[in-house]
Amino acid sequence: YEDVSIVNNHYNNVKRWVNFLLSQYKLTGLANLYAAWGDWVPPAPGAQTNYSLVSSSALLRDLSSLLLFANITNNTADLSTYSSLYSLLATEFHQVFYNESCGGYVENSQAANALALSLSGVVPDSLRSNVIDNLVNDIIARDYHFTTGVVSIRALFPVLAEAGHVDVAMKLALQTTYPSFGYQFNNPYENATTLWEVWDAPFEGVMMNSRNHIMFGSIGEFFYSHLAGIKKLPGLGSFLIQPYIPSQTLLSSLQASHDTLKGTVSVSWSRDTANLVSLNVSFPANTHKNIVVFNKIRLDGSLLSLQELSESGKPVLNSEAVRSLSVREDGTSEVVVGSGDYLFLAHFG
């Protein structure tokens, strides 16, 4: 809602919390950072990932939030101080937890690699593709099942999509055998209508075994932020639509909407053929600079880039509604538009 007063009112408390975490860090470093529950309840009988790595990822995540709030409140002194601290901690995270023998983090688990990849500045560019490959290969080796707990599963799906593996993320989401979301309503014991607290609820005792627990509900965020691609940009009246579109056999179409202070932002897309995507987007009135990004799509193991784009039947550069078209450094294509309804037809090759 662009209400900066909320950030102003709570800024000092957030800062105090981060400073408390930093005081604990000074006692042990990241290698032995305090931990209690870690990456809570990964699928049994799997083991917990390194507790201090999980706590260290939380410290860096909270520090990132403080930096965001410092930027919003124009607190330049804190922005400088804590940016330097973040850089030092990101470097230490890699130095402490990276395992050269396996090319991943600590025990090379899905949790450890997903958390490391989700943190800005932690995984060096020269190693990033290897760590991603380790993560993907482990998921495939387990027949598209995850081994993540409540902390790392939130990082897992976005990391896969942003690395060009949205198909892998979708196969995890669609899985119905244990452990998976689908197992909760595809098993011989009970048909879940809400999320379980633990993946193997029918086999656990009465303690810590809620059948109505949002703990693993972060996948819902992934549906909106990545599959639909709806995100709010800084400033009033600015939205980003950047859907990550999987193969037709996994998801051929999608519809989503999000109610905002300015009105409803809606998205629908369909993968009409292997290399043809229709994308309908609607931005509410009084939105001035909206961005639509066309990611590469995967076909037969290769990533295809946008080749041709039209809007409402016209080549996009001939459309009066389109303000600009550009290609980003990562090979994705960006279109800038104002408010209104848009129908894009995208050919990839």
Side-chain angles (χ1 to χ4, degrees):
Y1 294 102
E2 303 294 336
D3 185 356
V4 179
S5 67
I6 296 175
V7 178
N8 283 323
N9 291 340
H10 295 281
Y11 182 85
N12 287 333
N13 289 333
V14 174
K15 183 177 175 179
R16 287 174 62 196
W17 168 247
V18 169
N19 285 338
F20 166 75
L21 295 178
L22 290 171
S23 72
Q24 299 303 298
Y25 156 75
K26 290 176 183 177
L27 299 175
T28 62
L30 294 183
N32 297 292
L33 189 62
Y34 164 81
W37 303 109
D39 193 26
W40 188 233
V41 287
Q48 282 266 17
T49 201
N50 183 287
Y51 279 77
S52 291
L53 180 146
V54 177
S55 288
S56 297
S57 72
L59 169 57
L60 283 165
R61 186 189 65 236
D62 290 349
L63 192 49
S64 294
S65 296
L66 179 60
L67 287 170
L68 173 63
F69 296 157
N71 186 52
I72 290 172
T73 57
N74 199 30
N75 194 323
T76 55
D78 281 356
L79 198 58
S80 175
T81 299
Y82 289 101
S83 291
S84 298
L85 275 171
Y86 183 94
S87 296
L88 290 171
L89 290 172
T91 299
E92 183 179 344
F93 189 107
H94 176 72
Q95 291 173 342
V96 167
F97 297 117
Y98 183 70
N99 185 344
E100 288 189 7
S101 66
C102 63
Y105 287 81
V106 289
E107 68 274 17
N108 204 26
S109 68
Q110 293 177 19
N113 287 334
L115 287 172
L117 288 163
S118 71
L119 296 167
S120 176
V122 165
V123 184
D125 291 342
S126 60
L127 299 175
R128 192 169 185 86
S129 62
N130 289 336
V131 178
I132 291 169
D133 287 345
N134 281 351
L135 174 61
V136 171
N137 290 338
D138 187 85
I139 293 169
I140 294 173
R142 298 175 188 275
D143 193 24
Y144 297 95
H145 292 86
F146 45 67
T147 60
T148 46
V150 66
V151 177
S152 61
I153 199 167
R154 184 186 182 195
L156 180 64
F157 287 92
V159 160
L160 289 170
E162 291 169 16
H165 293 286
V166 68
D167 279 8
V168 176
M170 280 302 302
K171 288 179 181 180
L172 283 174
L174 294 170
Q175 185 62 261
T176 59
T177 55
Y178 180 83
S180 68
F181 289 99
Y183 177 77
Q184 296 184 19
F185 52 87
N186 283 278
N187 65 79
Y189 309 102
E190 59 184 87
N191 181 23
T193 56
T194 52
L195 288 175
W196 293 342
E197 183 179 6
V198 292
W199 297 112
D200 57 341
F203 308 105
E204 298 291 342
V206 295
M207 297 298 292
M208 196 206 70
N209 201 1
S210 165
R211 299 307 208 270
N212 186 8
H213 218 78
I214 195 58
M215 194 167 72
F216 289 108
S218 57
I219 190 171
E221 178 185 7
F222 168 75
F223 292 160
Y224 279 89
S225 64
H226 286 73
L227 291 183
I230 302 173
K231 293 180 181 175
K232 179 75 173 65
L233 292 172
L236 281 172
S238 295
F239 296 94
L240 168 68
I241 302 296
Q242 186 178 6
Y244 291 79
I245 300 175
S247 297
Q248 287 173 287
T249 54
L250 297 171
L251 187 66
S252 60
S253 63
L254 175 146
Q255 290 183 328
S257 62
H258 177 58
D259 292 332
T260 76
L261 189 65
K262 286 288 185 178
T264 300
V265 177
S266 62
V267 178
S268 66
W269 58 254
S270 61
R271 191 159 176 177
D272 302 326
T273 66
N275 64 342
L276 179 65
V277 172
S278 299
L279 174 64
N280 291 271
V281 296
S282 179
F283 298 106
N286 298 320
T287 56
H288 52 86
K289 184 180 180 182
N290 301 301
I291 297 174
V292 181
V293 173
F294 294 86
N295 289 318
K296 297 178 181 180
I297 63 173
R298 189 170 289 275
L299 178 64
D300 298 330
S302 300
L303 285 172
L304 307 182
S305 299
L306 181 68
Q307 297 297 313
E308 296 180 20
L309 181 65
S310 64
E311 193 283 314
S312 297
K314 299 178 181 178
V316 70
L317 292 178
N318 295 339
S319 171
E320 296 178 358
V322 174
R323 298 180 182 178
S324 65
L325 169 67
S326 59
V327 179
R328 294 177 162 189
E329 290 184 3
D330 60 2
T332 60
S333 298
E334 174 183 301
V335 174
V336 178
V337 297
S339 60
D341 302 325
Y342 301 89
L343 172 57
F344 295 101
L345 192 63
H347 293 260
F348 293 82

